[in-house]
Amino acid sequence: MLMTADDYRDSLRAYAPRVFVDGERVESVADDPRLSPGINGVGVTYDFAHRAEHAHLMTAVEATSGKTVNRMLHIDGSAQDLLNKLEAVRLVCKVSGCAQRYLSHDALNGLFQATRRTDHTHGTDYHQRFLAYLHDVQDRDLTLGVAMTDAKGDRSKRPGQQANPDVYVRIKERRADGIVISGTKAIVTGAPYMHEFLVMPCRTHAPEDSDYAVCCAVPIDADGVTIVARPAGRPGEAAAKFSARYGQSTGVVIFDDVFVPHDRVFLAGETEEGGFLTTSYAHHHRQSCIGARAGFGDLLIGAGALMIEANGLDPDRHGHIREAMVDLITITESFFACGVASSVYCVDDPARSVMPDPVFANIGKLLLATKIYDMHKLAHYVSGGLIVALPGPDEDHNPETQASLAAVLAGREDIPAERRLEVSRFIEDLTASHQGGWYSVISLHGGGSPEAMKREIWRNYPLAEKTDLVDQLLDRGIYDQGQRVSRQPGRCCVRGCEAPRRITGEAAE
Ligand SMILES: Cc1cc2nc3c(=O)[nH]c(=O)nc-3n(C[C@H](O)[C@H](O)[C@H](O)COP(=O)(O)OP(=O)(O)OC[C@H]3O[C@@H](n4cnc5c(N)ncnc54)[C@H](O)[C@@H]3O)c2cc1C
């Protein structure tokens, strides 16, 4: 059954999670205004699946069941699936800023691959367990939070070396009917308003830390789970029309002796495969991040163009304004193009699914992570200072100032002052408020810090192909003009090259 946004909000009432926001216990997640922007954001992924014009992007047929499911829960079977998912994420994020639910997709796809691989190596039955879980999640159209990033403590130490063992989630006890986990996941998107958490390892663990290589599904109101979260977006702020409606809460999730039955355990000590799970999830997730931030780029491009228009400027006549807009477009579409390339050049997995090409997925994510600051700058550049200098929205209704402010703060004659001020506040909200800072940091660190992407690019790039290419050119004698006799130094040509003189001592200074 595909839920609507209203159904989704209602479905949260069936859960009784232990949630704190701003130091207070939340009585009803579905009804707390501080969490509403986050629920609205996820809600877009539900409502859009019911719209005929979006059905090809927002729904898909699951190969293992033949059922139509929400795209955010679908296992990708082809390059076209990856392209559709990328487009779908862009679509829902350009409406909501960040629709969050694509994390469910990314974790399910990582697990689909990793459980198959673990069974193949260890003779376990994780893949069958996972398939049963996947179909249940799809049938109930759930939203899953990804509890991967551990609190980690002292970053120079492995989990087993930490003074406080609870800075990483680990298996504390193995029972006949399941496992008991404890520890802390520090940053979980949408934690209070998920249905379940997928607990996953955030790195490859050493064999002596095998209890930390754990993956399982935990309902958000399981005994022993506490969520300490921050409000989603900018609820109740009159100056932030967009972020008062759409935003994202993140939560610290504490697992305190939480029992997980075997049918919900998908990894329990297999360290190598835990590393594979982390990485495959990361490739899927980084590709999704590309779609999400391209949607954010769409918002900035649209708002920038409207602000230029309201200011009475024509980009066709003013080269510096046009150039800034072209830069903004180029950044957005260049990382999106990496998302497209990572779909087209996808990797087939023995589990019969596909994974985005790691090099392009990581380059795209790295680009957006670092270029997000330029995107903000370009939006500021074309807009002017009013975006942070504008008096608050209460002034719009002050009979003593409203008329005179509207008269002097208008730009182009045929565009009402009110429209110019709305666009100003929209740009402030997305780029210069605490929410604007949030968009920077999620772009930089969400899905892993830039160093993680650089490592994956280096690890996966076919460098040997390039050295072979040049080797072959050299072997074909491209430089010897037919006189090359040997590759050995001193005998490489008829004259014989001499080793260069080493410059030492004073001569080198
Ligand atoms: C808004 C937001 C939403 C997020 N949502 C989720 C989510 O839903 N689920 C989830 O699991 N995670 C989520 N994350 C977490 C994200 O994946 C992490 O922020 C990211 O992996 C970096 O980890 P960290 O924040 O612990 O920073 P750190 O790991 O502390 O990194 C900080 C810096 O230190 C460097 N560093 C760290 N360790 C070492 C080391 N041993 N040696 C050398 N350098 C090191 C890093 O390269 C980086 O530059 C989210 C993050 C944000 C900002």
Side-chain angles (χ1 to χ4, degrees):
M1 179 200 68
L2 292 174
M3 288 199 276
T4 63
D6 286 344
D7 297 334
Y8 156 61
R9 186 185 290 271
D10 252 4
S11 71
L12 297 174
R13 298 201 166 90
Y15 296 78
R18 187 165 185 256
V19 178
F20 296 90
V21 173
D22 291 340
E24 284 172 19
R25 177 83 189 253
V26 171
E27 291 307 322
S28 164
V29 163
D31 302 303
D32 194 307
R34 291 169 296 189
L35 299 173
S36 196
I39 296 173
N40 293 341
V42 175
V44 172
T45 69
Y46 283 97
D47 273 349
F48 275 29
H50 290 273
R51 292 206 190 166
E53 71 272 28
H54 299 321
H56 69 294
L57 292 182
M58 292 305 301
T59 61
V61 175
E62 178 59 47
T64 50
S65 68
K67 292 184 183 171
T68 298
V69 301
N70 191 295
R71 176 75 62 187
M72 301 296 135
L73 304 176
H74 178 244
I75 302 300
D76 303 306
S78 65
Q80 189 60 50
D81 277 343
L82 285 171
L83 275 173
N84 288 347
K85 186 265 298 189
L86 185 71
E87 293 273 8
V89 174
R90 185 171 186 165
L91 172 72
V92 292
C93 290
K94 75 179 163 197
V95 175
S96 65
C98 182
Q100 305 153 76
R101 199 177 174 206
Y102 52 85
L103 281 102
S104 309
H105 163 279
D106 305 336
L108 291 173
N109 276 272
L111 266 162
F112 190 81
Q113 295 176 255
T115 48
R116 157 71 177 68
R117 174 183 278 238
T118 316
D119 289 355
H120 186 70
T121 313
H122 297 279
T124 43
D125 66 346
Y126 291 129
H127 196 62
Q128 278 313 313
R129 282 185 208 178
F130 174 71
L131 274 185
Y133 177 74
L134 172 76
H135 293 153
D136 181 49
V137 164
Q138 291 173 335
D139 288 347
R140 294 195 287 145
D141 206 12
L142 300 183
T143 294
L144 310 173
V146 172
M148 174 178 264
T149 304
D150 293 278
K152 294 189 277 198
D154 181 337
R155 268 56 174 167
S156 69
K157 293 184 174 153
R158 289 191 294 98
Q161 298 169 326
Q162 299 289 338
N164 178 355
D166 285 333
V167 295
Y168 280 86
V169 171
R170 69 199 183 286
I171 301 172
K172 214 169 151 188
E173 194 187 332
R174 290 170 192 264
R175 295 188 191 160
D177 51 350
I179 58 173
V180 175
I181 59 168
S182 275
T184 310
K185 295 292 186 182
I187 312 179
V188 180
T189 288
Y193 43 85
M194 299 290 110
H195 295 107
E196 308 221 337
F197 295 124
L198 279 172
V199 175
M200 299 166 78
C202 76
R203 55 186 281 182
T204 308
H205 290 291
E208 55 269 40
D209 287 335
S210 62
D211 283 342
Y212 297 85
V214 57
C215 177
C216 53
V218 179
I220 66 158
D221 59 353
D223 275 352
V225 173
T226 301
I227 300 160
V228 189
R230 51 187 285 151
R234 300 169 69 186
E237 284 189 48
K241 286 209 172 112
F242 187 78
S243 300
R245 181 153 184 206
Y246 295 116
Q248 182 191 113
S249 172
T250 43
V252 178
V253 181
I254 301 163
F255 297 86
D256 185 11
D257 286 347
V258 176
F259 174 71
V260 187
H262 277 316
D263 59 345
R264 294 175 147 260
V265 177
F266 310 123
L267 187 87
E270 297 84 357
T271 50
E272 283 281 318
E273 290 72 19
F276 175 80
L277 172 60
T278 309
T279 316
S280 58
Y281 163 77
H283 297 330
H284 285 285
H285 186 48
R286 288 169 194 165
Q287 197 218 25
S288 294
C289 291
I290 290 170
R293 225 49 70 214
F296 181 72
D298 292 334
L299 291 172
L300 291 195
I301 293 165
L306 283 178
M307 194 65 191
I308 292 165
E309 190 181 64
N311 285 347
L313 295 174
D314 176 0
D316 284 331
R317 285 186 48 224
H318 305 288
H320 65 297
I321 295 290
R322 184 175 63 246
E323 197 176 307
M325 287 301 287
V326 170
D327 283 353
L328 188 51
I329 293 165
T330 304
I331 291 172
T332 303
E333 302 303 347
S334 58
F335 64 71
F336 189 72
C338 289
V340 173
S342 69
S343 308
V344 173
Y345 296 122
C346 61
V347 181
D348 287 327
D349 191 89
R352 298 209 179 146
S353 64
V354 293
M355 186 176 75
D357 170 76
V359 173
F360 282 115
N362 280 280
I363 291 178
K365 171 63 189 34
L366 182 62
L367 269 178
L368 77 88
T370 47
K371 293 289 180 187
I372 186 77
Y373 299 92
D374 291 338
M375 292 168 76
H376 287 177
K377 181 190 76 182
L378 291 161
H380 298 166
Y381 181 86
V382 297
S383 302
L386 195 65
I387 56 171
V388 295
L390 189 61
D394 287 344
E395 215 59 51
D396 299 351
H397 313 290
N398 179 354
E400 295 193 46
T401 59
Q402 190 265 340
S404 46
L405 274 182
V408 293
L409 292 183
R412 216 170 85 174
E413 232 172 61
D414 58 339
I415 296 179
E418 190 192 354
R419 172 48 59 105
R420 182 167 182 256
L421 305 191
E422 270 178 353
V423 179
S424 279
R425 290 198 181 114
F426 183 77
I427 295 175
E428 181 262 353
D429 186 11
L430 292 187
T431 65
S433 65
H434 68 79
Q435 191 65 13
W438 179 90
Y439 280 110
S440 303
V441 179
I442 194 171
S443 303
L444 189 70
H445 283 299
S449 305
E451 177 61 16
M453 278 127 243
K454 290 181 187 170
R455 281 186 192 187
E456 287 305 314
I457 294 165
W458 185 244
R459 206 159 66 88
N460 289 287
Y461 194 75
L463 205 61
E465 273 178 27
K466 315 290 160 150
T467 51
D468 282 355
L469 168 74
V470 178
D471 259 350
Q472 280 168 23
L473 285 177
L474 298 181
D475 286 349
R476 271 172 43 209
I478 210 82
Y479 281 123
D480 69 2
Q481 294 170 325
Q483 298 173 332
R484 188 172 176 172
V485 291
S486 165
R487 294 176 70 187
Q488 280 191 349
R491 299 182 56 200
C492 58
C493 59
V494 174
R495 191 167 66 88
C497 293
E498 290 169 18
R501 239 173 4 108
R502 292 187 66 188
I503 302 173
T504 52
E506 279 175 19
E509 283 161 16

